[in-house]
Amino acid sequence: MASLAGGKGQKKQIELFSGTYFGACTIGGVIACGPTHTSVTPLDLVKCRRQVDPKIYTSNISAWRTIASAEGLRGIFYGWGPTFIGYSFQGAGKYGFYETFKYLYGERLFPGANKTVVYLGASASAEFLADIALCPFEAVKVRMQTTLPPFAKNAREGWAKVVKAEGYGGLYKGLYPLWARQIPYTMVKFATFEKTVEAIYGFIGKPKESLSGLQQTGVSFLGGYIAGIGCAVVSHPADVMVSKLNADRKAGEGAATAMSRIYGNIGFTGLWNGLPVRILMIGTLTAFQWLIYDSFKVSLGLPTTGGH
């Protein structure tokens, strides 16, 4: 699609697969991920604490009541700072690099490749890079949310404490399990979304272009929720391990040794602590991320994702 410089009063259309297009996708990822992850901080806080100590609360409702009575609304959103910063960076990389690698792999390097393979490869490549930006903030967030009494008052203090005690390496000690959690998660998120949206448009029986922007973003929302459920299940054991490692890894202990010790303590069943909460959280989160991301693209005159 060529870039069109219209007459007076007309908007300039963004050329597909141009630098501006990929930049817009990157900004869309920030808008989609930073605020949505921050909005579910209360669920994430309880999930992380129950993963580390299954007996700390009897239910999510009792957890929020306990936290609110002791710390107020601020306590329920404890850890929102590193969450917002980290997932804004991650969203930029996840969506921006996904669109870049999907075009690079599917159109430039392997034009005849199976689409699902392209989706999987592009999403894995994007998440690998995005997690490098996310990891330090995830480490601070988990440390803040799983340490009682509170580890730090805010992201800046938490970052400083980790660096002082463990050096900058302490911010990346959960990188490998983060990759183990996030890369399968994102592969399922994007590939399932793309195939689900494709199936929905096939069921509707009309060309995507014949539907309004509102209808198309509705399809994105439904496809996102379905994809989110699969994401939660596939990535949950690694999510539990990330929480445990950031809360309970001993100084100088190797990642493999720490994971082996933790698994010996919690067993296979322990890897699934907090799954129902995470399904609710991730399903809703993923649905709204796709809704926001594709709404942003539509507002710029770009097509929604998938269904081509």
Side-chain angles (χ1 to χ4, degrees):
M1 183 185 297
S3 177
L4 303 175
K8 193 173 182 180
Q10 287 186 316
K11 289 176 67 176
K12 184 177 180 181
Q13 190 171 353
I14 295 175
E15 181 183 357
L16 286 180
F17 313 126
S18 64
T20 303
Y21 170 78
F22 293 123
C25 293
T26 300
I27 294 171
V30 173
I31 297 170
C33 292
T36 51
H37 274 279
T38 304
S39 71
V40 295
T41 298
L43 274 171
D44 194 35
L45 172 65
V46 174
K47 172 190 70 71
C48 286
R49 287 183 177 176
R50 295 185 78 178
Q51 285 174 343
V52 172
D53 182 4
K55 298 178 181 179
I56 189 171
Y57 305 119
T58 56
S59 69
N60 297 331
I61 300 298
S62 69
W64 290 322
R65 284 175 179 167
T66 300
I67 296 169
S69 64
E71 306 168 52
L73 184 62
R74 180 188 293 251
I76 293 176
F77 278 89
Y78 184 59
W80 75 268
T83 298
F84 179 76
I85 299 168
Y87 283 94
S88 291
F89 279 125
Q90 190 230 25
K94 184 195 293 278
Y95 283 89
F97 283 129
Y98 174 70
E99 297 282 7
T100 302
F101 284 121
K102 184 169 73 167
Y103 173 69
L104 179 63
Y105 297 160
E107 302 293 332
R108 306 290 293 180
L109 297 180
F110 313 106
N114 179 278
K115 285 187 176 181
T116 303
V117 174
V118 171
Y119 303 149
L120 292 170
S123 56
S125 300
E127 190 62 42
F128 178 86
L129 296 174
D131 286 346
I132 296 173
L134 168 64
C135 190
F137 300 98
E138 179 76 356
V140 173
K141 176 192 80 73
V142 172
R143 194 76 63 89
M144 288 175 65
Q145 291 182 332
T146 58
T147 304
L148 293 172
F151 175 72
K153 294 179 181 178
N154 51 49
R156 182 185 298 177
E157 182 182 338
W159 181 290
K161 281 190 172 183
V162 173
V163 172
K164 183 178 180 180
E166 306 172 39
Y168 285 99
L171 296 170
Y172 281 93
K173 70 181 184 181
L175 182 58
Y176 292 156
L178 185 64
W179 274 331
R181 180 189 82 185
Q182 289 297 131
I183 291 177
Y185 168 96
T186 301
M187 292 171 73
V188 171
K189 174 179 179 175
F190 282 89
T192 303
F193 173 81
E194 296 264 15
K195 301 302 290 185
T196 300
V197 165
E198 183 181 310
I200 292 172
Y201 283 119
F203 177 78
I204 292 172
K206 293 181 180 180
K208 171 182 172 179
E209 293 73 19
S210 69
L211 302 181
S212 68
L214 181 62
Q215 290 171 322
Q216 290 183 37
T217 53
V219 171
S220 296
F221 182 83
L222 177 58
Y225 209 102
I226 293 171
I229 294 172
C231 292
V233 174
V234 166
S235 63
H236 193 72
D239 183 61
V240 172
M241 190 59 71
V242 168
S243 296
K244 288 284 191 181
L245 274 173
N246 280 301
D248 189 34
R249 185 171 171 183
K250 299 175 181 178
E253 187 176 34
T257 302
M259 285 189 284
S260 177
R261 175 179 59 79
I262 290 168
Y263 183 79
N265 292 333
I266 66 174
F268 181 76
T269 304
L271 292 174
W272 301 97
N273 287 336
L275 179 59
V277 179
R278 193 156 186 267
I279 287 176
L280 174 63
M281 184 181 84
I282 297 300
T284 305
L285 195 70
T286 305
F288 276 101
Q289 283 176 356
W290 279 114
L291 175 64
I292 294 168
Y293 178 69
D294 274 347
S295 296
F296 178 74
K297 289 174 74 176
V298 168
S299 74
L300 297 177
L302 296 170
T304 57
T305 309
H308 301 298

